[in-house]
Amino acid sequence: MEAAELRTHADALRKAASDQQAEMERLLEELVMTESHASQPDGVAAVAQKVVERLSPAGFRDNPVPGSDVSQLPLWLRELMLPGCDYGKIADVRRLSLPGVGEPVLILADLDTAFLPGITRDFPYTTKGDVASGPGIAD
């Protein structure tokens, strides 16, 4: 691709992102305010569902994969990762695919946050200028 063609594609991408900025910010706030610590499988599932709902109209297919059986991990590792968590309630993994042409692209994301339940009361989603803050916002 030549430089002029790349600039044209970049400009189109910038415009598309700009046109959708308000909706993307609403989604970001929804995701951040959905408490989804790994010990909250319902919250993790809710985050996954919100993402699936936004991507399905674009043709993405949702392929849930049962969560791994981490109960077989050594106790010290389980307690380090999620102290006191019921490992039988770990949320499923979600695999979204978009049929198309060309080489596949992998986009990897996590659906949980490291913040403990109740954090959104003390650390809610906020914006100041063009900076957004909240639990898990960088995820």
Side-chain angles (χ1 to χ4, degrees), residues 1 4 17 20 34 41 43 46 50 53 67-68 90 109 113 121 130-131 137:
M1 227 182 265
Q20 296 178 40
T34 302
K50 290 172 195 290
E53 287 170 2
S68 299
I90 297 295
T113 181
R121 285 188 305 272
D130 60 356
V131 175
I137 200 143

Side-chain angles (χ1 to χ4, degrees), residues 10-130:
D11 289 344
L13 186 57
R14 270 190 219 94
K15 181 176 179 348
S18 177
D19 291 349
Q20 296 178 40
Q21 183 173 346
E23 176 57 27
M24 288 188 293
E25 288 177 2
R26 278 191 293 278
L27 175 59
L28 179 62
E29 180 175 8
E30 262 185 73
L31 295 174
V32 169
M33 291 303 291
T34 302
E35 293 202 358
S36 59
H37 184 263
S39 66
Q40 296 172 296
D42 292 342
V44 175
V47 168
Q49 190 57 38
K50 290 172 195 290
V51 172
V52 168
E53 287 170 2
R54 293 310 192 290
L55 293 177
S56 291
F60 283 85
R61 294 186 192 143
D62 181 24
N63 306 296
V65 177
S68 299
D69 180 9
V70 293
S71 65
Q72 302 306 311
L73 291 174
L75 180 61
W76 69 268
L77 182 57
R78 288 183 280 156
E79 286 301 309
L80 176 70
M81 291 169 40
L82 294 171
C85 180
D86 178 357
Y87 280 90
K89 295 183 180 176
I90 297 295
D92 291 343
V93 171
R94 301 303 276 267
R95 181 177 181 267
L96 299 177
S97 59
L98 179 65
V101 231
E103 295 297 317
V105 174
L106 173 67
I107 300 173
L108 194 59
D110 61 77
L111 300 168
D112 66 338
T113 181
F115 290 88
L116 294 172
I119 190 65
T120 55
R121 285 188 305 272
D122 299 324
F123 184 34
Y125 176 88
T126 58
T127 57
K128 187 174 185 179
D130 60 356

